């Protein structure tokens, strides 16, 4: 009697998934359908019992991969945290019918999971940079009102009012690229790092004279 | 404004060069020995920091959104918006490229170099600001808010989140019912894991009421992890179960 994978009992399916994964790591012939079925039950059908096995098998594996990420050492979390965030994001994006439209087989599932791990590490670093800026630069006076980045940038564009300077200000203040990095990214646009720095000095002089901007970001007038 | 106390004096523009990492060695020497310049530099760094606080990456998609875009999981206007943003944002291009390289490297060499045992000893060496370690709430009022004033009710809090837990001994085992209440973060769809003695026992997604329920075979203390897709984790460790 042949039992289709869809009818297989969950514990035996999980056992097969684990066994086939070991064969895969030993570079032996293996069958990816068991693990794929496990993912299908967990994410397409939303079965918590299947999610249990996915977490049990894949948190250690994804944690090992997180440690191989080039930015892991600069991050502020442990590897299992990134695995958990990756799996939570996987579920958020790919649960229900979408799972089968996005993933025809296990390799596609795994590629997306690896990408989710990478995204979790990268996002953590973004947050760390912002936290560092906040910790180092306590304002002398509080902003008048809570300002959104969008509103502040719209105001800055009005103060600068010149497309080339606006682009440079975006690279420096929004993307936080120092002149050396800007020059590497746009070697045809400026003559040198120093030319970028000089252009930035001109922009800063205008911005620092703007009273509205001083109020928006909670700085005292010069 | 404080002036230079070392001659010859330097201008504010020259000090911006220090912040932009393009200053020459003479300028750096001057700043090191000039108290007035150090004060001006601090003020200028504060100005840059304030701008950065509001502007840094303010319109960039999250790294997960970039990944979802790359894998075709983003559609319609949102897809177009990310595509347009990617064209002009070297930072996002760089991050997406890093993720693509990472996926390729793992796919080509999937053997885990070291498998990590996920037990109760997290290998955190850095301050974990996104892992909200919960602390018990001392007041009994919150436990009562969930409709229970018995000893088996428990509540804990971290940042904006409060977790209410109830335990009940049943024939099937120890039942733990929980709920997260949070005015800031919507925890619906987050994933809760319960661990006992270093072993994962159950996994469950939080429902629309942000509730979850586990049935455990033993009364050993539990570790509870709840992870949100936004990259926030709640951690409640070594919690004793009272039947």
């Amino acid at each position: 009697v042949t039992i289709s994978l869809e009818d297989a009992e969950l514990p035996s399916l999980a056992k097969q998934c684990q066994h086939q994964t070991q064969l895969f790591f030993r570079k032996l012939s293996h069958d990816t359908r068991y693990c794929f079925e496990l993912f299908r039950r967990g994410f397409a059908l939303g079965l918590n019992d299947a999610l249990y096995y996915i977490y049990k098998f894949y948190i250690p594996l994804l944690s090992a991969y997180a440690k191989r990420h080039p930015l892991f050492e600069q991050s502020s979390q442990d590897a299992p945290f990134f695995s958990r965030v990756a799996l939570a994001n996987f579920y958020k994006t790919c649960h229900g019918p979408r799972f089968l439209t996005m993933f025809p087989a296990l390799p596609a599932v795994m590629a997306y999971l690896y990408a989710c791990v990478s995204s979790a590490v990268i996002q953590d670093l973004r947050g760390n940079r912002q936290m560092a800026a906040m910790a180092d630069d306590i304002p002398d006076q509080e902003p008048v009102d809570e300002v959104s980045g969008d509103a502040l940038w719209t105001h800055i564009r009005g103060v600068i009012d010149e497309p080339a300077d606006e682009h440079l200000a975006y690279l420096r203040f929004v993307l936080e690229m120092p002149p050396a990095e800007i020059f590497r990214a746009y070697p045809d646009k400026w003559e040198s790092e120093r030319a970028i720095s000089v252009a930035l000095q001109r922009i800063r002089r205008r911005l620092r004279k703007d009273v509205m901007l001083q109020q928006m970001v909670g700085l005292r007038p010069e | 404004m404080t002036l230079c106390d070392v001659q010859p004096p330097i201008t504010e523009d020259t000090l911006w060069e220090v912040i932009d990492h393009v200053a020459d060695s003479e300028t750096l020497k001057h700043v090191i020995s000039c108290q007035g310049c150090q004060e001006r530099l601090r003020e200028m760094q504060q100005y840059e920091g304030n701008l950065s606080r509001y502007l840094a990456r303010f319109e960039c998609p999250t790294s997960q959104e970039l990944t979802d875009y790359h894998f075709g999981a983003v559609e319609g206007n949102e897809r177009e918006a990310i595509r347009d943003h990617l064209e002009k944002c070297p930072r996002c291009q760089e991050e997406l490229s890093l993720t693509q390289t990472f996926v390729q490297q793992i796919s080509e060499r999937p053997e885990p170099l070291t498998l990590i045992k996920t037990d109760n000893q997290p290998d955190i060496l850095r301050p974990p600001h996104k892992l909200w370690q919960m602390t018990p709430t001392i007041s009994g009022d919150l436990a009562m808010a969930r409709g229970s004033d018995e000893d088996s009710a428990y509540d804990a809090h971290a940042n904006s989140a409060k977790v209410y837990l109830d335990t009940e001994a049943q024939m099937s085992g120890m039942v733990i019912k929980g709920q997260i209440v949070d005015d800031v973060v919507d925890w619906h769809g987050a994933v809760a894991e319960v661990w006992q003695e270093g072993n994962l026992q159950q996994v469950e997604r939080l429902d629309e009421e942000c509730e979850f329920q586990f049935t455990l075979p033993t009364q050993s203390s539990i570790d509870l992890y709840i992870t949100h897709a936004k990259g926030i984790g709640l951690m409640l460790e070594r919690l004793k179960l009272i039947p």
Side-chain angles (χ1 to χ4, degrees):
Chain A
V1 179
T2 309
I3 299 173
S4 76
L5 274 179
E6 291 187 8
D7 297 327
E9 294 283 337
L10 187 59
S12 68
L13 184 70
K15 199 173 173 185
Q16 269 300 327
C17 169
Q18 203 171 20
H19 176 61
Q20 297 297 329
T21 303
Q22 285 166 359
L23 293 177
F24 167 71
F25 284 132
R26 283 152 54 194
K27 297 189 187 335
L28 298 171
S29 172
H30 61 280
D31 189 341
T32 60
R33 291 176 304 159
Y34 296 97
C35 291
F36 184 71
E37 174 60 13
L38 197 58
F39 275 101
R40 189 188 72 83
R41 292 188 191 187
F43 292 101
L45 303 183
L47 300 177
N48 287 326
D49 289 348
L51 281 181
Y52 161 77
Y53 287 109
I54 292 169
Y55 270 65
K56 189 175 179 183
F57 297 161
Y58 288 95
I59 282 187
L61 186 65
L62 296 177
S63 299
Y65 292 154
K67 286 200 160 185
R68 284 171 58 181
H69 195 281
L71 298 180
F72 176 75
E73 287 303 320
Q74 296 171 45
S75 74
S76 63
Q77 311 293 332
D78 65 349
F81 176 82
F82 292 127
S83 310
R84 291 185 167 108
V85 172
L87 285 164
N89 269 306
F90 190 110
Y91 191 89
K92 181 174 172 255
T93 307
C94 308
H95 70 276
R98 194 174 210 183
F99 177 86
L100 287 176
T101 56
M102 273 186 75
F103 307 117
L106 188 66
V109 173
M110 297 312 295
Y112 180 68
L113 257 183
Y114 303 155
C116 289
V117 170
S118 175
S119 299
V121 176
I122 291 170
Q123 193 65 35
D124 178 69
L125 256 79
R126 279 199 207 179
N128 291 350
R129 287 195 184 111
Q130 279 177 334
M131 281 196 70
M134 287 172 77
D136 294 344
D137 302 290
I138 300 160
D140 284 339
Q141 61 188 72
E142 290 300 312
V144 178
D145 291 307
E146 194 56 41
V147 181
S148 72
D150 206 12
L152 186 60
W153 178 242
T154 303
H155 181 77
I156 286 174
R157 286 177 66 186
V159 174
I160 295 172
D161 198 27
E162 208 274 301
D165 282 356
E166 186 185 313
H167 184 223
L168 182 56
Y170 187 84
L171 296 174
R172 184 69 184 105
F173 303 128
V174 178
L175 301 187
E176 301 192 299
M177 295 168 75
E181 203 178 336
I182 295 172
F183 186 59
R184 275 199 302 276
Y186 301 95
D188 301 331
K189 217 160 179 179
W190 288 276
E191 279 179 13
S192 62
E193 290 173 35
R194 183 156 293 277
I196 293 170
S197 184
V198 169
L200 280 170
Q201 287 161 13
R202 189 178 63 245
I203 293 168
R204 281 167 170 138
R205 279 198 295 271
R206 295 183 75 170
L207 295 182
R208 278 163 72 81
K209 279 181 190 158
D210 186 76
V211 177
M212 177 87 167
L213 187 60
Q214 288 164 355
Q215 288 172 346
M216 285 173 102
V217 298
L219 289 166
R220 58 166 114 75
E222 285 184 86
Chain B
M1 184 176 287
T2 315
L3 298 174
C4 285
D5 41 31
V6 173
Q7 297 301 319
I10 58 175
T11 64
E12 184 173 300
D13 282 349
T14 309
L15 285 177
W16 285 118
E17 291 176 3
V18 177
I19 290 174
D20 284 338
H21 308 291
V22 291
D24 58 29
S25 58
E26 286 303 310
T27 303
L28 294 175
K29 269 188 215 164
H30 176 104
V31 171
I32 287 168
S33 51
C34 177
Q35 202 71 31
C37 280
Q38 286 172 23
E39 272 180 42
R40 287 156 75 196
L41 200 56
R42 263 195 297 277
E43 187 272 326
M44 291 156 77
Q45 281 169 331
Q46 182 186 304
Y47 178 84
E48 294 279 290
N50 277 10
L51 281 183
S52 166
R53 179 181 313 181
Y54 297 103
L55 292 179
R57 310 290 302 271
F58 79 91
E59 60 179 4
C60 290
T62 65
S63 56
Q64 183 64 40
E65 285 168 339
L66 292 174
T67 286
D68 290 346
Y69 167 84
H70 179 66
F71 279 82
V74 180
E75 291 159 0
N77 292 342
E78 199 184 343
R79 182 165 188 82
E80 281 178 29
I82 294 177
R83 186 198 58 207
D84 293 347
H85 178 84
L86 261 172
E87 279 176 15
K88 69 167 186 179
C89 183
R91 280 269 185 264
C92 286
Q93 289 166 15
E94 187 183 33
E95 287 181 358
L96 186 55
S97 168
L98 187 64
T99 290
Q100 287 171 296
T101 307
F102 178 73
V103 170
Q104 192 182 347
Q105 283 173 348
I106 298 289
S107 301
E108 284 170 0
R109 212 167 134 235
E111 302 83 4
L113 300 178
T114 49
L115 269 179
I116 295 167
K117 186 174 178 292
T118 48
D119 53 19
N120 295 344
Q121 307 297 323
D123 53 346
I124 300 170
L125 300 173
R126 299 162 291 271
H129 62 265
K130 284 175 205 136
L131 198 57
W132 296 358
Q133 184 134 24
M134 309 209 77
T135 49
T137 302
I138 295 166
S139 162
D141 297 339
L142 292 170
M144 291 177 70
R146 197 172 178 274
S148 173
D149 57 356
E150 297 180 6
D151 290 342
S152 59
Y154 179 92
D155 53 77
H157 64 276
N159 293 2
S160 56
K162 289 188 178 71
V163 174
Y164 301 104
L165 292 172
D166 253 336
T167 55
E168 190 183 333
Q170 291 187 357
M171 291 292 284
S172 54
M174 197 73 173
V175 176
I176 302 171
K177 294 176 185 173
Q179 183 181 28
I180 301 183
V181 176
D182 193 328
D183 293 333
V184 180
V185 180
D186 179 8
W187 289 86
H188 171 219
V191 183
E193 302 161 51
V194 64
W195 293 66
Q196 278 182 312
E197 296 166 1
N199 296 312
L200 179 63
Q201 293 296 340
Q202 279 180 49
V203 176
E204 190 169 312
R205 287 162 298 109
L206 271 58
D207 64 17
E208 288 180 357
E209 302 297 323
C210 300
E211 291 182 328
F212 53 92
Q213 181 173 324
F214 297 114
T215 304
L216 300 172
T218 72
Q219 291 181 19
S220 328
S221 63
I222 62 164
D223 298 326
L224 181 67
Y225 299 98
I226 304 172
T227 310
H228 194 288
K230 282 184 177 171
I232 309 166
L234 289 176
M235 179 170 73
L236 191 53
E237 291 183 314
R238 291 179 289 281
L239 182 65
K240 285 180 187 165
L241 301 180
I242 303 166

